[in-house]
């Protein structure tokens, strides 16, 4: 009786071992598919580096016990902060698909001669001595904001006194992107007029376009979308020659409250010291 039980147990053990070996052979990772929404050769190269690393480290390893955190680690290290994982899927029996997107630099906030490159998701992607981006183009330089020291990987923040203006700045950049003219803004200056009379104490944006024309937006923290729409509609109505000089002014008229853009050949009313 004991010998029969032993044979049954032995046979069951052999069966389980064979099954585990078979499953492991069938369910070994044989393919990684990286789907990357990139818009630059820089991003594409980083995605390829992620693909190579995952292939090298995990191809042939157990599909069943693969840890998704390995993907996040590889993307973080190989992407240098410029790639973001959107989704990781284990496709039975042996394929892993990974969707990533590229983060793009948008603003370069200037502080003490250093430029904090902030991505389209608000993350600090780099801190440099110039406003040149990681793909060799000029970021939009932003001056006038006060903000604490930041480090790469932080979500960019500004001082409490600038938060309303920062929200307006993000709205401005969103509209520039929507109109596909985000690279036309070479510089955005934020400042305040410090006159003693409260009537003349206000904030402003002054945008310098790559063609040289300026855009003056008075009080961008209020009626933000209306002022931005009016400014950019007027900008887009100018011909190529008109965009090389002068400035567009967008203010809320006293009394009527209307927002009407106008054009001037004169120097904009930027405060002394700016």
């Amino acid at each position: 009786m004991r010998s029969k039980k032993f044979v049954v147990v032995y046979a069951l053990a052999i069966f389980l071992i064979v099954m585990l070996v078979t499953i492991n052979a069938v369910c070994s990772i044989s393919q990684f598919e990286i789907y990357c929404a990139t818009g630059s050769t820089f991003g594409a190269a980083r995605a390829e580096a992620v693909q190579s690393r995952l292939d090298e480290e995990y191809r042939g390893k157990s599909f069943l016990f693969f840890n998704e955190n390995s993907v996040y680690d590889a993307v973080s290290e190989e992407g240098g902060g410029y790639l973001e994982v959107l989704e990781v899927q284990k496709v039975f029996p042996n394929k892993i698909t990974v969707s990533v997107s590229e983060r793009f630099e948008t603003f370069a906030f200037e502080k003490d001669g250093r430029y904090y490159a902030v991505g389209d998701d608000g993350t600090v992607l780099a801190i440099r001595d110039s406003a040149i981006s990681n793909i060799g183009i000029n970021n939009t330089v932003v001056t006038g904001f006060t903000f604490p020291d930041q480090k790469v990987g932080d979500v960019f923040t500004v001082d409490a006194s600038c938060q309303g203006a920062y929200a307006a700045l993000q709205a401005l950049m969103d509209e520039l992107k929507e109109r596909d003219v985000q690279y036309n803004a070479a510089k955005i200056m934020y400042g305040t007029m410090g006159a003693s009379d409260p009537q003349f104490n206000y904030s402003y944006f002054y945008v310098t376009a790559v063609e040289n024309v300026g855009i003056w937006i008075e009080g961008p923290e209020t009626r933000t979308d209306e002022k931005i729409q009016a400014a950019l509609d007027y900008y887009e109505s100018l011909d190529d020659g008109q965009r090389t000089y002068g400035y567009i002014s967008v203010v809320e008229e006293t009394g009527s409250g209307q927002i009407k853009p106008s054009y001037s050949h004169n120097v904009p009313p930027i405060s002394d010291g700016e």
Side-chain angles (χ1 to χ4, degrees), residues 25 30 34 61 64 67 117-118 139 143 157 192 205 249:
S30 64
I34 309 294
K61 301 291 180 65
L64 299 177
N67 190 340
V118 176
N139 285 318
T143 64
T157 59
T192 57
F205 283 160
S249 177

Side-chain angles (χ1 to χ4, degrees), residues 42 46 79-84 101-103 105 125-126 128 134:
F42 177 90
R46 291 297 183 275
Y82 287 88
L83 295 180
E84 177 184 13
S101 65
E102 183 176 2
R103 293 186 174 111
E105 296 179 14
L125 297 178
R128 306 188 182 94
N134 62 305

Side-chain angles (χ1 to χ4, degrees), residues 145-214:
F145 283 85
T146 55
F147 53 90
D149 290 337
Q150 326 255 325
K151 61 180 182 295
V152 173
D154 287 348
V155 174
F156 185 79
T157 59
V158 298
D159 291 348
S161 60
C162 301
Q163 287 180 359
Y166 184 54
L169 178 70
Q170 292 173 309
L172 173 58
M173 184 55 75
D174 287 344
E175 185 61 27
L176 288 168
K177 288 181 181 177
E178 181 69 24
R179 297 176 184 235
D180 198 26
V181 292
Q182 64 265 38
Y183 298 115
N184 291 35
K187 183 176 182 179
I188 301 174
M189 179 189 300
Y190 166 64
T192 57
M193 288 297 195
S196 57
D197 186 341
Q199 182 179 353
F200 298 100
N201 189 356
Y202 53 83
S203 62
Y204 64 86
F205 283 160
Y206 186 69
V207 183
T208 303
V210 292
E211 304 96 330
N212 203 43
V213 69

Side-chain angles (χ1 to χ4, degrees), residues 14-266:
I14 294 296
F15 174 77
L16 290 175
I17 291 171
V18 171
M19 286 293 295
L20 287 173
V21 171
T22 302
I23 291 173
N24 187 63
V26 172
C27 297
S28 294
I29 299 172
S30 64
Q31 185 179 11
F32 282 98
E33 287 188 352
I34 309 294
Y35 298 99
C36 186
T38 61
S40 71
T41 55
F42 177 90
R46 291 297 183 275
E48 289 177 6
V50 172
Q51 173 89 56
S52 297
R53 173 168 168 172
L54 292 174
D55 280 338
E56 181 179 345
E57 294 184 7
Y58 300 104
R59 184 182 289 272
K61 301 291 180 65
S62 172
F63 172 88
L64 299 177
F65 298 104
F66 179 76
N67 190 340
E68 291 185 8
N69 288 334
S70 302
V71 173
Y72 288 87
D73 291 342
V75 170
S76 175
E77 293 172 16
E78 300 298 334
Y82 287 88
L83 295 180
E84 177 184 13
V85 178
L86 300 179
E87 184 180 39
V88 179
Q89 284 189 324
K90 297 171 76 173
V91 183
F92 189 82
N94 55 16
K95 184 169 73 172
I96 304 227
T97 65
V98 181
S99 297
V100 300
S101 65
E102 183 176 2
R103 293 186 174 111
F104 294 96
E105 296 179 14
T106 51
F107 303 122
F109 287 83
E110 192 275 332
K111 180 181 181 180
D112 298 330
R114 300 277 282 167
Y115 295 86
Y116 292 71
V118 176
D120 46 12
D121 66 344
T123 303
V124 178
L125 297 178
I127 302 173
R128 306 188 182 94
D129 293 326
S130 77
I132 303 297
S133 76
N134 62 305
I135 57 175
I137 64 175
N138 288 318
N139 285 318
T140 299
V141 175
V142 181
T143 64
F145 283 85
T146 55
F147 53 90
D149 290 337
Q150 326 255 325
K151 61 180 182 295
V152 173
D154 287 348
V155 174
F156 185 79
T157 59
V158 298
D159 291 348
S161 60
C162 301
Q163 287 180 359
Y166 184 54
L169 178 70
Q170 292 173 309
L172 173 58
M173 184 55 75
D174 287 344
E175 185 61 27
L176 288 168
K177 288 181 181 177
E178 181 69 24
R179 297 176 184 235
D180 198 26
V181 292
Q182 64 265 38
Y183 298 115
N184 291 35
K187 183 176 182 179
I188 301 174
M189 179 189 300
Y190 166 64
T192 57
M193 288 297 195
S196 57
D197 186 341
Q199 182 179 353
F200 298 100
N201 189 356
Y202 53 83
S203 62
Y204 64 86
F205 283 160
Y206 186 69
V207 183
T208 303
V210 292
E211 304 96 330
N212 203 43
V213 69
I215 302 175
W216 170 273
I217 302 176
E218 191 174 296
E221 299 94 334
T222 60
R223 301 179 66 180
T224 301
D225 292 338
E226 293 176 76
K227 292 175 181 177
I228 290 172
Q229 293 284 346
L232 296 184
D233 285 347
Y234 200 101
Y235 168 76
E236 291 183 332
S237 73
L238 299 177
D239 61 37
D240 292 343
Q242 291 173 316
R243 291 187 184 184
T244 61
Y245 57 89
Y247 76 98
I248 300 163
S249 177
V250 178
V251 300
E252 183 176 342
E253 293 182 350
T254 303
S256 69
Q258 291 185 316
I259 296 173
K260 290 184 177 180
S262 59
Y263 179 85
S264 174
H265 295 88
N266 299 324

